[in-house]
Amino acid sequence: MNTTIEKQRVLREPELLELGTRAFEGLGLAHEDARDVARILVMADLFGLSTHGLGRIESYGERLGVGGIQARPRITREQRAPAIVCIDGDNGVGPLVGMRALEAAMDTARQTGVGVAFARGSNHFGPVSPYSLIAAEAGFASIIGSNATTTIAPWGGSDARLGNSPVGFAVPNPGGRPFLLDMAISVAARAKIRNALKRGDAIPVTWATDKAGRTTTDPAAALEGFLLPIGGHKGYGLALLVDLFAGLLSGAAYLTHVKSWVDAPDEPQNLGHFFILIDTRHLGSTIWFAQRMNDFAAILHGSPPAEASRPVLVPGEIELDNLARHRRDGLALDPAVLALLEEHAAKP
C-alpha cells in the first residue's frame, strides 16, 4: 500500500484558503494581502496546476525571508489615460501585485468598456488562469501576460536572453463555462523539469536543450540549458511580444534585465504584467452572448472524435472540471507543502 497517499490530508477550499492566508501572514503580509495571494495560489491548485499553487510558499517564503520580496509593499495606482492604468508593485509578492492590477483593469473597463493595466515592480505572479476566471466571472474578456526570468535562447542564439513568459486569453459565458487558454511559451514549464528531476524521471526530448543547445532527456542537463519554445520561431516571436507588453511597456525589467530569483533571491526582479480587459456587456445582452458562446462550444464538441475515448475539448474544460471536482471532494496537498504552510501559519 502507498503510505504517502495514506498520510495525505484532504482539505476543502475554505480550509486551503484559510491555511494559505495564515501562512502568508506568518511571512509578514497583512491579512487582506495574504488572502489575495492565497486566493490565486489555491485556485491554481484546484485547477490542477500544483507547480504554481500553494507549493510556491517555498520559493516566495525564501525570498521574503532574505528581503528579495517586500512583505508590506506600498502598491500605487496611476491612471495614465481613461482606459490605461499603471501599477507600481513596490516589489510585493507577485499574486498580490497581480490582483491589484486586475482590480484596476476591471475598474477601468467598467468605466470605458476597455481597461488596460500595466504592472511593474512585481515578482512571479502564479498562473494566468485564476486571474482570467475572476475576470470572466465578472463579465470581462481578457488577455493577460507576464514576463519571466530568462530561460529561452533567441531563435538561432546560444544563450538565454528571454523568459518563458506566460500569456492567457479568456472569454466569459454568462451562466455557462468560459473559454480559458493559459499557456507558457515553452513546450513545458521549467517547474515540470524540476519536478521530473526530483522524481528521477527523464523528460521528453522536445522540452529543452542542454547548455550546448543539444536536445536532452536529462532534467539536470535541461535545467542548465534552455527551454524550447512552442512552434519554433513562431513561439520565439510570441515570447518577445509578451515581454514587450509585460516588461517594456510597463516600465518593468525585460529580457536579460530580469534578475533570476534562483541566482539572486535577495534582489528585486522587477517583473512586469499586463491585463487587457473588455467589458462584454457593452457588446450585447447576456442572453445573446450566452447563446453565441454555447453555440461556439457546441460546434467544437460536435466534431466526431478521432479516438472515441478522447472527446473534443474546448480550452479550459480540463481545469474547470478539476476545479469542480476539488470543490466537491477536497484536495490533498503534497505533505511537504502542507507541513511548510502549517509551519509558517504557526508563527506569531
Side-chain angles (χ1 to χ4, degrees), residues 259-282:
K259 294 184 183 295
S260 166
W261 62 268
V262 175
D263 297 335
D266 58 337
E267 297 183 31
Q269 280 194 287
N270 192 20
L271 289 186
H273 322 307
F274 68 88
F275 294 76
I276 302 173
L277 269 57
I278 300 168
D279 190 340
T280 60
R281 286 161 292 204
H282 290 277

Side-chain angles (χ1 to χ4, degrees), residues 111-127:
Q111 298 296 320
T112 64
V114 175
V116 181
F118 292 106
R120 64 178 181 269
S122 188
N123 294 281
H124 181 277
F125 79 159

Side-chain angles (χ1 to χ4, degrees), residues 227-315:
L227 298 175
L228 287 170
I230 56 174
H233 67 282
K234 297 180 181 179
Y236 163 60
L238 182 56
L240 293 181
L241 181 64
V242 175
D243 202 347
L244 282 165
F245 273 66
L248 191 138
L249 291 182
S250 70
Y254 52 85
L255 298 180
T256 55
H257 295 307
V258 176
K259 294 184 183 295
S260 166
W261 62 268
V262 175
D263 297 335
D266 58 337
E267 297 183 31
Q269 280 194 287
N270 192 20
L271 289 186
H273 322 307
F274 68 88
F275 294 76
I276 302 173
L277 269 57
I278 300 168
D279 190 340
T280 60
R281 286 161 292 204
H282 290 277
L283 303 176
S285 71
T286 55
I287 294 174
W288 170 83
F289 193 53
Q291 287 174 339
R292 291 176 65 81
M293 284 297 291
N294 291 335
D295 180 58
F296 190 96
I299 291 171
L300 298 173
H301 288 148
S303 177
E307 297 179 34
S309 62
R310 301 179 65 185
V312 173
L313 295 172
V314 175

Side-chain angles (χ1 to χ4, degrees), residues 32 51 63 91 109 115 143 164 170 198 216 231 255 289 298 311 331:
E32 290 302 323
T51 55
R63 295 196 62 219
N91 197 33
I143 305 173
N164 186 21
K198 288 179 181 178
T216 181
L255 298 180
F289 193 53
L331 176 73

Side-chain angles (χ1 to χ4, degrees), residues 124-174:
H124 181 277
F125 79 159
V128 173
S129 48
Y131 305 100
S132 300
L133 182 59
I134 292 169
E137 289 179 337
F140 299 101
S142 63
I143 305 173
I144 300 170
S146 174
N147 62 0
T149 304
T150 54
T151 52
I152 298 175
W155 193 249
S158 60
D159 61 352
R161 298 277 173 129
L162 65 149
N164 186 21
S165 303
V167 64
F169 304 81
V171 180
N173 182 359

Side-chain angles (χ1 to χ4, degrees), residues 14-346:
E15 295 174 296
L16 291 166
L17 185 56
E18 175 63 20
L19 178 58
T21 300
R22 289 193 291 109
F24 278 101
E25 284 184 283
L27 286 166
L29 275 68
H31 175 75
E32 290 302 323
D33 291 352
R35 192 166 183 82
D36 281 338
V37 172
R39 181 183 182 189
I40 295 298
L41 300 183
V42 167
M43 196 177 296
D45 277 317
L46 298 178
F47 277 150
L49 307 173
S50 60
T51 55
H52 287 59
L54 286 171
R56 286 283 170 169
I57 189 81
E58 181 177 5
S59 59
Y60 292 2
E62 287 175 357
R63 295 196 62 219
L64 283 160
V66 297
I69 298 176
Q70 284 214 71
R72 304 225 172 188
R74 296 183 61 185
I75 299 175
T76 56
R77 178 196 295 200
E78 181 183 359
Q79 201 77 35
R80 296 288 185 88
I84 301 176
V85 61
C86 290
I87 302 296
D88 188 326
D90 193 31
N91 197 33
V93 179
L96 172 60
V97 181
M99 280 297 293
R100 296 295 173 267
L102 175 61
E103 291 162 356
M106 290 195 295
D107 289 345
T108 301
R110 289 188 184 100
Q111 298 296 320
T112 64
V114 175
V116 181
F118 292 106
R120 64 178 181 269
S122 188
N123 294 281
H124 181 277
F125 79 159
V128 173
S129 48
Y131 305 100
S132 300
L133 182 59
I134 292 169
E137 289 179 337
F140 299 101
S142 63
I143 305 173
I144 300 170
S146 174
N147 62 0
T149 304
T150 54
T151 52
I152 298 175
W155 193 249
S158 60
D159 61 352
R161 298 277 173 129
L162 65 149
N164 186 21
S165 303
V167 64
F169 304 81
V171 180
N173 182 359
R177 284 185 153 191
F179 172 100
L180 295 175
L181 176 62
D182 179 358
M183 63 183 200
I185 306 303
S186 66
V187 176
R190 199 169 177 83
K192 289 187 176 180
I193 299 176
R194 285 196 293 268
N195 287 344
L197 180 63
K198 288 179 181 178
R199 295 192 303 267
D201 294 342
I203 61 171
V205 72
T206 56
W207 281 16
T209 69
D210 61 19
K211 61 184 178 182
R214 299 181 297 257
T215 55
T216 181
T217 60
D218 180 356
L223 289 172
E224 294 181 355
F226 318 116
L227 298 175
L228 287 170
I230 56 174
H233 67 282
K234 297 180 181 179
Y236 163 60
L238 182 56
L240 293 181
L241 181 64
V242 175
D243 202 347
L244 282 165
F245 273 66
L248 191 138
L249 291 182
S250 70
Y254 52 85
L255 298 180
T256 55
H257 295 307
V258 176
K259 294 184 183 295
S260 166
W261 62 268
V262 175
D263 297 335
D266 58 337
E267 297 183 31
Q269 280 194 287
N270 192 20
L271 289 186
H273 322 307
F274 68 88
F275 294 76
I276 302 173
L277 269 57
I278 300 168
D279 190 340
T280 60
R281 286 161 292 204
H282 290 277
L283 303 176
S285 71
T286 55
I287 294 174
W288 170 83
F289 193 53
Q291 287 174 339
R292 291 176 65 81
M293 284 297 291
N294 291 335
D295 180 58
F296 190 96
I299 291 171
L300 298 173
H301 288 148
S303 177
E307 297 179 34
S309 62
R310 301 179 65 185
V312 173
L313 295 172
V314 175
E317 288 185 333
I318 292 175
E319 292 81 1
L320 292 170
D321 282 345
N322 288 337
L323 178 66
R325 184 178 71 257
H326 288 138
R327 281 178 167 170
R328 182 189 67 235
D329 301 334
L331 176 73
L333 287 177
D334 180 288
V337 172
L338 182 58
L340 188 56
L341 287 165
E342 290 177 333
E343 176 187 331
H344 289 305

